[in-house]
């Protein structure tokens, strides 16, 4: 129960002053969005675990940053930009993407195993709980994209 309380606290965090920033290159510009390829950091290239890491595939990750039409005209393909967000937004995203599903998984597995004493049923219950959770996130992705806003600096 403490994990759920912790996750809910993360979801209600006030905006913090510190920001998370990363460098990128503009790939495409539309009136509503700017598509930015996030550059791999030098630390990733030097890391021994880079081959196993999903974030260091050598290509970088592409993100779409919503902007106003007036601002999008000031960016051109190939421009180097800094993409950032507040730390609280990052924490909320991690809580929704990993923390809350983990809590739901452990809770459902624990309840089913405590009542049925069947490992297979408990494992299946854990997986079954995650399917609607991630479907709900998928359906709400538009609202989540607005809530988890990225900025170009």
């Amino acid at each position: 129960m403490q994990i759920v309380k912790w996750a809910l606290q993360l979801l209600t965090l006030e905006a913090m002053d510190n920001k998370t920033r990363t460098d990128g290159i503009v790939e495409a510009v539309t009136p509503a969005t700017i598509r930015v390829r996030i550059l791999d950091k030098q630390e990733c290239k030097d890391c021994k675990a880079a081959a196993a890491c999903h974030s260091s595939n050598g290509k970088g990750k592409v993100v779409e940053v919503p902007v106003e039409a007036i601002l999008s005209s000031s960016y051109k393909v190939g421009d180097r930009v800094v993409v950032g967000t507040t730390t609280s937004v990052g924490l909320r995203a991690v809580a929704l993407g990993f923390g809350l599903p983990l809590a739901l998984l452990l809770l459902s597995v624990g309840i089913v195993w405590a009542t049925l004493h069947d490992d297979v049923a408990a494992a299946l219950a854990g997986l079954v709980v995650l399917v609607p959770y991630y479907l709900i996130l998928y359906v709400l992705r538009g609202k989540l994209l607005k809530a988890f806003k990225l900025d170009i600096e």
Side-chain angles (χ1 to χ4, degrees):
M1 201 51 132
Q2 185 66 17
I3 293 174
V4 174
K5 184 177 177 183
W6 174 77
L8 291 174
Q9 287 174 343
L10 281 177
L11 293 173
T12 59
L13 280 176
E14 294 299 319
M16 300 172 141
D17 289 339
N18 45 354
K19 293 187 75 146
T20 302
R21 295 176 181 90
T22 188
D23 297 325
I25 296 177
V26 175
E27 281 199 341
V29 178
T30 66
T33 62
I34 296 175
R35 183 175 294 173
V36 178
R37 178 168 301 279
I38 303 299
L39 300 174
D40 285 339
K41 302 269 187 207
Q42 182 61 35
E43 297 87 12
C44 292
K45 292 179 175 83
D46 297 337
C47 180
K48 293 178 183 175
C53 181
H54 70 283
S55 66
S56 63
N57 60 7
K59 300 175 192 168
K61 179 173 175 48
V62 177
V63 295
E64 286 192 9
V65 182
V67 293
E68 295 179 20
I70 298 168
L71 295 176
S72 68
S73 63
S74 62
Y75 295 100
K76 294 177 180 56
V77 174
D79 286 351
R80 289 183 70 91
V81 294
V82 176
V83 178
T85 189
T86 61
T87 302
S88 64
V89 168
L91 288 174
R92 288 184 206 153
V94 169
L96 278 178
F98 299 103
L100 198 53
L102 176 64
L104 289 171
L105 176 80
L106 294 175
L107 189 65
S108 63
V109 167
I111 290 172
V112 172
W113 190 85
T115 56
L116 300 177
H117 296 290
D118 183 6
D119 293 341
V120 174
L124 288 175
L127 292 175
V128 167
V129 165
L130 293 180
V131 170
Y133 177 79
Y134 281 112
L135 284 175
I136 290 170
L137 286 184
Y138 181 76
V139 169
L140 297 176
R141 70 186 180 279
K143 289 184 179 184
L144 291 173
L145 284 174
K146 289 177 186 173
F148 300 142
K149 190 176 87 164
L150 295 172
D151 297 318
I152 292 182
E153 300 175 1

